[in-house]
Short mmCIF file of all heavy atoms in Angstrom, two decimals:
data_model
loop_
_atom_site.label_atom_id
_atom_site.label_comp_id
_atom_site.label_asym_id
_atom_site.label_seq_id
_atom_site.Cartn_x
_atom_site.Cartn_y
_atom_site.Cartn_z
N SER A 1 221.83 42.64 50.25
CA SER A 1 222.58 43.83 49.87
C SER A 1 221.71 45.06 50.05
O SER A 1 220.49 44.94 50.28
CB SER A 1 223.06 43.73 48.43
OG SER A 1 221.94 43.64 47.55
N GLY A 2 222.33 46.23 49.95
CA GLY A 2 221.58 47.47 49.99
C GLY A 2 221.68 48.26 51.28
O GLY A 2 221.12 49.35 51.38
N GLY A 3 222.35 47.71 52.27
CA GLY A 3 222.47 48.42 53.53
C GLY A 3 223.42 49.61 53.42
O GLY A 3 224.04 49.84 52.38
N GLY A 4 223.51 50.35 54.51
CA GLY A 4 224.40 51.50 54.53
C GLY A 4 224.13 52.39 55.71
O GLY A 4 223.38 52.03 56.62
N LEU A 5 224.73 53.57 55.67
CA LEU A 5 224.55 54.57 56.71
C LEU A 5 223.54 55.60 56.22
O LEU A 5 223.69 56.14 55.11
CB LEU A 5 225.88 55.25 57.02
CG LEU A 5 225.85 56.46 57.97
CD1 LEU A 5 225.36 56.04 59.35
CD2 LEU A 5 227.23 57.10 58.04
N VAL A 6 222.54 55.87 57.03
CA VAL A 6 221.50 56.82 56.64
C VAL A 6 221.11 57.64 57.86
O VAL A 6 221.18 57.15 59.00
CB VAL A 6 220.29 56.07 56.04
CG1 VAL A 6 219.64 55.15 57.06
CG2 VAL A 6 219.29 57.03 55.44
N GLN A 7 220.70 58.87 57.63
CA GLN A 7 220.26 59.72 58.72
C GLN A 7 218.85 59.33 59.16
O GLN A 7 218.07 58.79 58.36
CB GLN A 7 220.28 61.18 58.29
CG GLN A 7 221.68 61.73 58.07
CD GLN A 7 221.68 63.23 57.83
OE1 GLN A 7 220.66 63.82 57.48
NE2 GLN A 7 222.83 63.85 58.01
N PRO A 8 218.49 59.64 60.40
CA PRO A 8 217.11 59.39 60.84
C PRO A 8 216.13 60.08 59.90
O PRO A 8 216.35 61.22 59.47
CB PRO A 8 217.09 60.01 62.23
CG PRO A 8 218.49 59.89 62.71
CD PRO A 8 219.34 60.12 61.50
N GLY A 9 215.05 59.36 59.58
CA GLY A 9 214.07 59.85 58.64
C GLY A 9 214.35 59.47 57.20
O GLY A 9 213.49 59.66 56.32
N GLY A 10 215.51 58.93 56.95
CA GLY A 10 215.89 58.54 55.61
C GLY A 10 215.32 57.20 55.18
O GLY A 10 214.57 56.56 55.92
N SER A 11 215.72 56.77 53.99
CA SER A 11 215.21 55.52 53.41
C SER A 11 216.34 54.67 52.86
O SER A 11 217.39 55.19 52.47
CB SER A 11 214.24 55.83 52.26
OG SER A 11 213.10 56.54 52.71
N LEU A 12 216.10 53.39 52.86
CA LEU A 12 216.98 52.42 52.21
C LEU A 12 216.12 51.32 51.61
O LEU A 12 215.03 51.03 52.12
CB LEU A 12 217.96 51.78 53.21
CG LEU A 12 219.17 52.58 53.66
CD1 LEU A 12 219.91 51.82 54.77
CD2 LEU A 12 220.11 52.86 52.50
N ARG A 13 216.63 50.69 50.57
CA ARG A 13 215.96 49.53 50.00
C ARG A 13 216.93 48.35 50.03
O ARG A 13 217.98 48.40 49.37
CB ARG A 13 215.53 49.80 48.56
CG ARG A 13 214.66 48.67 47.98
CD ARG A 13 214.52 48.82 46.49
NE ARG A 13 213.46 47.96 45.95
CZ ARG A 13 213.48 47.47 44.71
NH1 ARG A 13 214.48 47.76 43.89
NH2 ARG A 13 212.49 46.71 44.28
N LEU A 14 216.57 47.34 50.77
CA LEU A 14 217.37 46.13 50.86
C LEU A 14 216.91 45.12 49.80
O LEU A 14 215.73 45.05 49.47
CB LEU A 14 217.27 45.50 52.24
CG LEU A 14 217.58 46.40 53.43
CD1 LEU A 14 217.53 45.59 54.72
CD2 LEU A 14 218.92 47.08 53.27
N SER A 15 217.87 44.35 49.32
CA SER A 15 217.58 43.30 48.35
C SER A 15 218.12 41.97 48.85
O SER A 15 219.14 41.93 49.54
CB SER A 15 218.21 43.62 46.99
OG SER A 15 217.71 44.82 46.45
N CYS A 16 217.44 40.91 48.48
CA CYS A 16 217.89 39.56 48.81
C CYS A 16 217.79 38.71 47.56
O CYS A 16 216.69 38.53 47.02
CB CYS A 16 217.04 38.98 49.93
SG CYS A 16 217.31 37.21 50.23
N ALA A 17 218.92 38.21 47.10
CA ALA A 17 218.96 37.31 45.95
C ALA A 17 218.95 35.88 46.45
O ALA A 17 219.81 35.49 47.25
CB ALA A 17 220.19 37.59 45.12
N ALA A 18 217.98 35.10 45.99
CA ALA A 18 217.81 33.73 46.45
C ALA A 18 218.12 32.74 45.34
O ALA A 18 217.79 33.00 44.17
CB ALA A 18 216.38 33.52 46.94
N ALA A 19 218.74 31.64 45.69
CA ALA A 19 219.07 30.61 44.71
C ALA A 19 219.13 29.25 45.38
O ALA A 19 219.31 29.15 46.60
CB ALA A 19 220.41 30.93 44.04
N GLY A 20 218.96 28.20 44.58
CA GLY A 20 219.12 26.85 45.08
C GLY A 20 217.84 26.19 45.54
O GLY A 20 217.88 25.07 46.09
N PHE A 21 216.71 26.84 45.36
CA PHE A 21 215.43 26.25 45.72
C PHE A 21 214.36 26.85 44.82
O PHE A 21 214.59 27.84 44.12
CB PHE A 21 215.10 26.48 47.19
CG PHE A 21 214.98 27.93 47.59
CD1 PHE A 21 213.74 28.53 47.72
CD2 PHE A 21 216.11 28.70 47.84
CE1 PHE A 21 213.63 29.87 48.10
CE2 PHE A 21 216.02 30.03 48.21
CZ PHE A 21 214.77 30.62 48.33
N THR A 22 213.17 26.25 44.84
CA THR A 22 212.07 26.75 44.02
C THR A 22 211.43 27.92 44.73
O THR A 22 210.56 27.75 45.60
CB THR A 22 211.05 25.63 43.74
OG1 THR A 22 211.73 24.51 43.16
CG2 THR A 22 209.98 26.12 42.76
N PHE A 23 211.87 29.09 44.37
CA PHE A 23 211.56 30.32 45.10
C PHE A 23 210.06 30.53 45.28
O PHE A 23 209.61 30.87 46.38
CB PHE A 23 212.18 31.50 44.35
CG PHE A 23 211.99 32.83 45.00
CD1 PHE A 23 212.75 33.20 46.10
CD2 PHE A 23 211.06 33.74 44.50
CE1 PHE A 23 212.59 34.43 46.71
CE2 PHE A 23 210.89 34.98 45.10
CZ PHE A 23 211.65 35.33 46.20
N ILE A 24 209.30 30.30 44.25
CA ILE A 24 207.88 30.61 44.30
C ILE A 24 207.13 29.73 45.29
O ILE A 24 206.02 30.05 45.70
CB ILE A 24 207.26 30.51 42.89
CG1 ILE A 24 205.90 31.22 42.83
CG2 ILE A 24 207.13 29.04 42.46
CD1 ILE A 24 205.35 31.37 41.43
N ASN A 25 207.73 28.65 45.73
CA ASN A 25 207.07 27.74 46.67
C ASN A 25 207.17 28.17 48.13
O ASN A 25 206.56 27.54 49.00
CB ASN A 25 207.65 26.33 46.54
CG ASN A 25 207.22 25.64 45.26
OD1 ASN A 25 206.34 26.12 44.55
ND2 ASN A 25 207.84 24.51 44.98
N TYR A 26 207.97 29.20 48.40
CA TYR A 26 208.28 29.56 49.78
C TYR A 26 207.87 30.98 50.14
O TYR A 26 208.07 31.92 49.36
CB TYR A 26 209.78 29.41 50.04
CG TYR A 26 210.23 27.98 50.08
CD1 TYR A 26 210.58 27.31 48.90
CD2 TYR A 26 210.29 27.27 51.28
CE1 TYR A 26 210.98 25.98 48.93
CE2 TYR A 26 210.69 25.95 51.32
CZ TYR A 26 211.04 25.32 50.14
OH TYR A 26 211.42 24.00 50.17
N ALA A 27 207.32 31.11 51.35
CA ALA A 27 207.20 32.43 51.96
C ALA A 27 208.59 32.85 52.39
O ALA A 27 209.41 32.02 52.80
CB ALA A 27 206.26 32.38 53.16
N MET A 28 208.85 34.15 52.29
CA MET A 28 210.17 34.68 52.63
C MET A 28 210.05 35.74 53.71
O MET A 28 209.02 36.43 53.81
CB MET A 28 210.83 35.27 51.39
CG MET A 28 211.09 34.27 50.27
SD MET A 28 212.29 33.01 50.72
CE MET A 28 213.78 34.00 50.90
N GLY A 29 211.10 35.89 54.47
CA GLY A 29 211.07 36.87 55.54
C GLY A 29 212.35 37.67 55.64
O GLY A 29 213.40 37.24 55.15
N TRP A 30 212.22 38.83 56.25
CA TRP A 30 213.37 39.64 56.63
C TRP A 30 213.47 39.62 58.16
O TRP A 30 212.45 39.67 58.86
CB TRP A 30 213.22 41.09 56.16
CG TRP A 30 213.55 41.28 54.70
CD1 TRP A 30 212.67 41.34 53.67
CD2 TRP A 30 214.84 41.46 54.14
NE1 TRP A 30 213.35 41.53 52.48
CE2 TRP A 30 214.68 41.60 52.74
CE3 TRP A 30 216.14 41.50 54.65
CZ2 TRP A 30 215.75 41.80 51.87
CZ3 TRP A 30 217.20 41.68 53.78
CH2 TRP A 30 217.01 41.84 52.42
N TYR A 31 214.71 39.57 58.63
CA TYR A 31 215.00 39.52 60.05
C TYR A 31 216.13 40.50 60.32
O TYR A 31 216.83 40.93 59.39
CB TYR A 31 215.43 38.10 60.45
CG TYR A 31 214.44 37.04 60.08
CD1 TYR A 31 214.37 36.54 58.78
CD2 TYR A 31 213.54 36.53 61.02
CE1 TYR A 31 213.44 35.57 58.43
CE2 TYR A 31 212.61 35.56 60.68
CZ TYR A 31 212.57 35.10 59.38
OH TYR A 31 211.64 34.14 59.03
N ARG A 32 216.32 40.84 61.60
CA ARG A 32 217.45 41.71 61.92
C ARG A 32 218.04 41.33 63.27
O ARG A 32 217.36 40.73 64.11
CB ARG A 32 217.03 43.18 61.92
CG ARG A 32 215.99 43.55 62.95
CD ARG A 32 215.50 44.99 62.71
NE ARG A 32 214.47 45.38 63.68
CZ ARG A 32 213.80 46.52 63.62
NH1 ARG A 32 214.04 47.38 62.63
NH2 ARG A 32 212.90 46.82 64.54
#
């Protein structure tokens, strides 16, 4: 979540809620 329309030079903060596994055991990544 957290996406949207932003002008060049602007900022956004994306969030990822994870469930169903032991989160602390895994490296996580963002992709596009």
Side-chain angles (χ1 to χ4, degrees):
S1 62
L5 172 63
V6 63
Q7 291 188 341
S11 297
L12 283 174
R13 187 193 193 209
L14 306 184
S15 299
C16 170
F21 61 100
T22 305
F23 182 76
I24 197 170
N25 288 350
Y26 289 86
M28 298 294 294
W30 281 98
Y31 304 80
R32 63 188 179 186

